[in-house]
């Protein structure tokens, strides 16, 4: 009798285990090692390219518009330190509007130059390698932007510099600054200045471009709502 009872108990336990096993097989399976098991470097590289493309499309394009630099405090180009005395001196004698116009045309030249950036960025974004992908993804909030900067800064400088030089003439910056500096140099007891602003504005324009790309990268990394495609959601979930 005891043997029969034990046999029935064992049979019931085996049946329950089998049913539990079937239920378990139907439950969603989670991955504990996501980076290695569910997505490869090719997807990661594609996701990073997509994030940078968004940064270029959404943020850099804004800089090419009127007041793209001048109206954006994050990237607005101010005078270099050595020319602050020009700005201050003109305002002291009631020529603040001329000083403002001088700043505005510097920013206009930068807005004009940034239009030349997109083709260079496109080539650089295509060049993100599989080997670079994971280190960029798990890097700092601006790791992709820094990668892009390292690959494009020299090319962009060489492209921007002549454009800005031409833009000074195109937007009237050369005449405005010639007049502005002439006015300043006529103020008694001041040291004359005669700066070349092309290099300075080129460097500031480059900083502005990468600042805005970095804005978009940080949003995608930190805000789920900014991941507007399935690929972005999939890739950047790895670094959450």
């Amino acid at each position: 009798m005891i043997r029969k009872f034990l046999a029935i108990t064992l049979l019931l336990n085996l049946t329950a285990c089998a049913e539990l096993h079937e239920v378990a097989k139907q439950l969603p399976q989670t991955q504990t090692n996501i980076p290695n098991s569910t997505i490869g470097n090719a997807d990661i590289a594609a996701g990073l390219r997509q994030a940078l493309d968004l940064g270029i499309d959404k943020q850099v394009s804004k800089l090419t518009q009127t007041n793209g630099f001048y109206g954006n405090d994050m990237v607005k180009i101010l005078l270099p330190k050595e020319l602050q005395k020009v700005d201050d001196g003109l305002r002291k004698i009631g020529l603040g509007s001329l000083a403002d116009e001088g700043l505005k045309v510097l920013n206009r030249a930068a807005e004009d130059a940034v239009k030349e950036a997109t083709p260079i960025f496109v080539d650089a974004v295509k060049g993100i390698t599989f080997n670079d992908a994971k280190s960029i993804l798990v890097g700092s909030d601006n790791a992709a932007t820094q990668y892009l900067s390292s690959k494009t800064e020299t090319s962009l400088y060489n492209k921007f510099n002549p454009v800005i030089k031409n833009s000074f003439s195109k937007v009237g910056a050369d005449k405005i600054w010639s007049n502005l500096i002439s006015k300043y140099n006529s103020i008694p007891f001041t040291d004359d200045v005669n700066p070349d602003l092309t290099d300075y504005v080129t460097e500031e324009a480059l900083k502005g471009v990468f600042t805005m790309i970095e804005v978009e990268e940080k949003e995608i990394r930190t805000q789920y709502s900014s991941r507007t495609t399935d690929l972005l959601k999939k890739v950047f979930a790895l670094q959450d």
Side-chain angles (χ1 to χ4, degrees), residues 206-234:
L206 287 172
K207 290 179 186 176
V209 165
F210 292 115
T211 294
M212 297 313 295
I213 294 175
E214 185 176 313
V215 166
E216 189 65 23
E217 180 184 356
K218 285 185 177 180
E219 285 189 4
I220 291 173
R221 284 183 182 272
T222 60
Q223 298 181 26
Y224 184 82
S225 60
S226 295
R227 300 170 191 173
T228 53
T229 69
D230 289 340
L231 181 60
L232 289 176
K233 291 172 185 175
K234 181 180 180 182

Coordinates of all heavy atoms in Angstrom, one line a residue, residues 206-234:
L206 N 33.8 76.2 -36.6 CA 34.0 74.8 -36.4 C 33.5 74.4 -35.0 O 32.8 73.4 -34.8 CB 35.5 74.4 -36.5 CG 36.0 74.4 -37.9 CD1 37.5 74.2 -37.9 CD2 35.4 73.3 -38.8
K207 N 33.8 75.2 -34.0 CA 33.3 74.9 -32.6 C 31.8 74.8 -32.6 O 31.2 74.0 -32.0 CB 33.8 75.9 -31.6 CG 35.3 75.9 -31.4 CD 35.7 77.0 -30.4 CE 37.2 77.1 -30.2 NZ 37.6 78.3 -29.3
G208 N 31.2 75.8 -33.3 CA 29.7 75.8 -33.3 C 29.1 74.6 -33.9 O 28.1 74.1 -33.4
V209 N 29.7 74.2 -35.0 CA 29.2 73.0 -35.7 C 29.2 71.8 -34.8 O 28.2 71.0 -34.6 CB 30.0 72.7 -37.0 CG1 29.7 71.3 -37.5 CG2 29.7 73.7 -38.1
F210 N 30.3 71.5 -34.1 CA 30.4 70.3 -33.3 C 29.6 70.5 -32.0 O 29.2 69.5 -31.4 CB 31.9 70.0 -33.0 CG 32.6 69.5 -34.2 CD1 33.6 70.3 -34.8 CD2 32.2 68.4 -34.9 CE1 34.3 69.9 -35.9 CE2 32.9 67.9 -36.0 CZ 33.9 68.7 -36.6
T211 N 29.4 71.7 -31.5 CA 28.6 71.9 -30.4 C 27.2 71.5 -30.7 O 26.5 70.8 -29.8 CB 28.6 73.4 -30.0 OG1 29.9 73.8 -29.5 CG2 27.6 73.7 -28.9
M212 N 26.6 71.8 -31.8 CA 25.3 71.5 -32.2 C 25.1 70.0 -32.4 O 24.1 69.4 -32.1 CB 24.8 72.3 -33.4 CG 24.7 73.8 -33.1 SD 24.0 74.2 -31.5 CE 22.3 73.7 -31.8
I213 N 26.1 69.3 -33.0 CA 26.0 67.9 -33.2 C 26.0 67.2 -31.9 O 25.3 66.2 -31.6 CB 27.2 67.4 -34.1 CG1 27.1 67.9 -35.5 CG2 27.2 65.8 -34.1 CD1 28.2 67.6 -36.4
E214 N 26.8 67.7 -31.0 CA 26.9 67.1 -29.6 C 25.6 67.2 -28.9 O 25.2 66.3 -28.1 CB 28.0 67.9 -28.8 CG 28.2 67.3 -27.4 CD 29.4 68.0 -26.8 OE1 30.4 68.2 -27.4 OE2 29.2 68.4 -25.6
V215 N 24.8 68.3 -29.1 CA 23.5 68.5 -28.5 C 22.6 67.3 -28.9 O 21.9 66.7 -28.1 CB 22.9 69.8 -29.0 CG1 21.4 69.9 -28.7 CG2 23.6 71.0 -28.3
E216 N 22.6 67.0 -30.2 CA 21.7 65.9 -30.7 C 22.2 64.6 -30.2 O 21.4 63.7 -29.8 CB 21.7 65.9 -32.2 CG 20.6 65.0 -32.8 CD 19.2 65.4 -32.5 OE1 19.0 66.6 -32.2 OE2 18.3 64.5 -32.5
E217 N 23.5 64.4 -30.1 CA 24.0 63.1 -29.6 C 23.6 62.9 -28.2 O 23.1 61.8 -27.8 CB 25.5 63.0 -29.8 CG 26.1 61.7 -29.2 CD 27.6 61.6 -29.3 OE1 28.3 62.5 -29.7 OE2 28.1 60.6 -28.8
K218 N 23.7 63.9 -27.4 CA 23.4 63.8 -25.9 C 21.9 63.5 -25.8 O 21.5 62.7 -24.9 CB 23.8 65.0 -25.2 CG 25.3 65.1 -24.9 CD 25.7 66.3 -24.1 CE 27.1 66.4 -23.8 NZ 27.5 67.6 -23.0
E219 N 21.1 64.1 -26.6 CA 19.6 63.9 -26.5 C 19.3 62.4 -26.8 O 18.5 61.8 -26.1 CB 18.9 64.8 -27.4 CG 18.8 66.3 -26.9 CD 17.9 67.1 -27.8 OE1 17.2 66.6 -28.7 OE2 17.8 68.3 -27.5
I220 N 19.9 61.9 -27.8 CA 19.6 60.5 -28.2 C 20.2 59.6 -27.2 O 19.5 58.5 -26.9 CB 20.3 60.2 -29.6 CG1 19.6 61.0 -30.7 CG2 20.3 58.7 -29.9 CD1 20.2 60.9 -32.1
R221 N 21.3 59.9 -26.6 CA 21.8 59.0 -25.5 C 21.0 59.0 -24.2 O 20.9 58.0 -23.5 CB 23.3 59.4 -25.2 CG 24.3 59.0 -26.3 CD 25.7 59.4 -25.8 NE 26.7 59.0 -26.8 CZ 27.4 57.9 -26.8 NH1 27.0 56.9 -26.0 NH2 28.3 57.7 -27.8
T222 N 20.4 60.2 -23.9 CA 19.8 60.3 -22.6 C 18.3 60.4 -22.6 O 17.6 60.2 -21.6 CB 20.3 61.6 -21.9 OG1 20.0 62.7 -22.7 CG2 21.8 61.5 -21.7
Q223 N 17.7 60.6 -23.8 CA 16.2 60.7 -23.9 C 15.7 59.7 -24.9 O 15.9 59.8 -26.1 CB 15.8 62.1 -24.3 CG 16.3 63.2 -23.4 CD 15.8 64.6 -23.8 OE1 14.8 64.8 -24.6 NE2 16.6 65.6 -23.4
Y224 N 14.9 58.8 -24.3 CA 14.3 57.7 -25.1 C 13.5 58.3 -26.3 O 13.5 57.8 -27.4 CB 13.5 56.8 -24.3 CG 12.9 55.6 -25.0 CD1 13.7 54.4 -25.3 CD2 11.6 55.6 -25.5 CE1 13.2 53.4 -26.0 CE2 11.1 54.5 -26.2 CZ 11.9 53.4 -26.4 OH 11.4 52.3 -27.1
S225 N 12.8 59.4 -26.0 CA 11.9 60.0 -27.0 C 12.6 60.5 -28.2 O 12.0 60.7 -29.3 CB 11.0 61.1 -26.4 OG 11.9 62.1 -25.8
S226 N 13.9 60.8 -28.1 CA 14.7 61.3 -29.2 C 15.2 60.2 -30.1 O 15.7 60.4 -31.2 CB 15.9 62.1 -28.7 OG 15.5 63.2 -28.0
R227 N 15.0 58.9 -29.7 CA 15.4 57.8 -30.5 C 14.2 57.5 -31.4 O 13.3 56.7 -31.1 CB 15.7 56.6 -29.6 CG 16.9 56.9 -28.7 CD 17.1 55.8 -27.6 NE 18.0 56.2 -26.6 CZ 18.3 55.5 -25.5 NH1 17.7 54.4 -25.3 NH2 19.1 56.0 -24.6
T228 N 14.2 58.1 -32.6 CA 13.1 58.1 -33.4 C 12.9 57.0 -34.4 O 12.0 56.9 -35.2 CB 13.0 59.5 -34.2 OG1 14.3 59.6 -34.9 CG2 12.8 60.6 -33.3
T229 N 13.9 56.0 -34.4 CA 13.8 54.9 -35.2 C 14.0 53.6 -34.4 O 14.6 53.7 -33.3 CB 14.8 54.9 -36.4 OG1 16.2 54.7 -35.8 CG2 14.8 56.2 -37.1
D230 N 13.6 52.5 -34.9 CA 13.8 51.2 -34.2 C 15.3 50.9 -34.0 O 15.7 50.4 -33.0 CB 13.2 50.0 -35.0 CG 11.6 50.1 -35.0 OD1 11.1 50.8 -34.1 OD2 11.0 49.5 -35.8
L231 N 16.1 51.3 -35.0 CA 17.5 51.0 -34.9 C 18.2 51.8 -33.8 O 19.0 51.3 -33.0 CB 18.2 51.3 -36.2 CG 19.8 51.1 -36.3 CD1 20.1 49.6 -36.0 CD2 20.3 51.5 -37.6
L232 N 17.8 53.1 -33.7 CA 18.3 53.9 -32.6 C 17.9 53.4 -31.2 O 18.7 53.4 -30.3 CB 17.8 55.4 -32.7 CG 18.4 56.2 -33.9 CD1 17.8 57.6 -34.0 CD2 19.9 56.3 -33.7
K233 N 16.7 53.0 -31.1 CA 16.2 52.4 -29.8 C 17.0 51.1 -29.5 O 17.3 50.9 -28.3 CB 14.7 52.1 -29.9 CG 13.8 53.3 -30.0 CD 12.4 53.0 -30.3 CE 11.5 54.2 -30.5 NZ 10.1 53.9 -31.0
K234 N 17.2 50.3 -30.5 CA 17.9 49.0 -30.3 C 19.3 49.3 -29.9 O 19.8 48.7 -28.9 CB 17.8 48.2 -31.5 CG 18.5 46.8 -31.5 CD 18.3 46.1 -32.8 CE 19.0 44.8 -32.8 NZ 18.9 44.1 -34.1

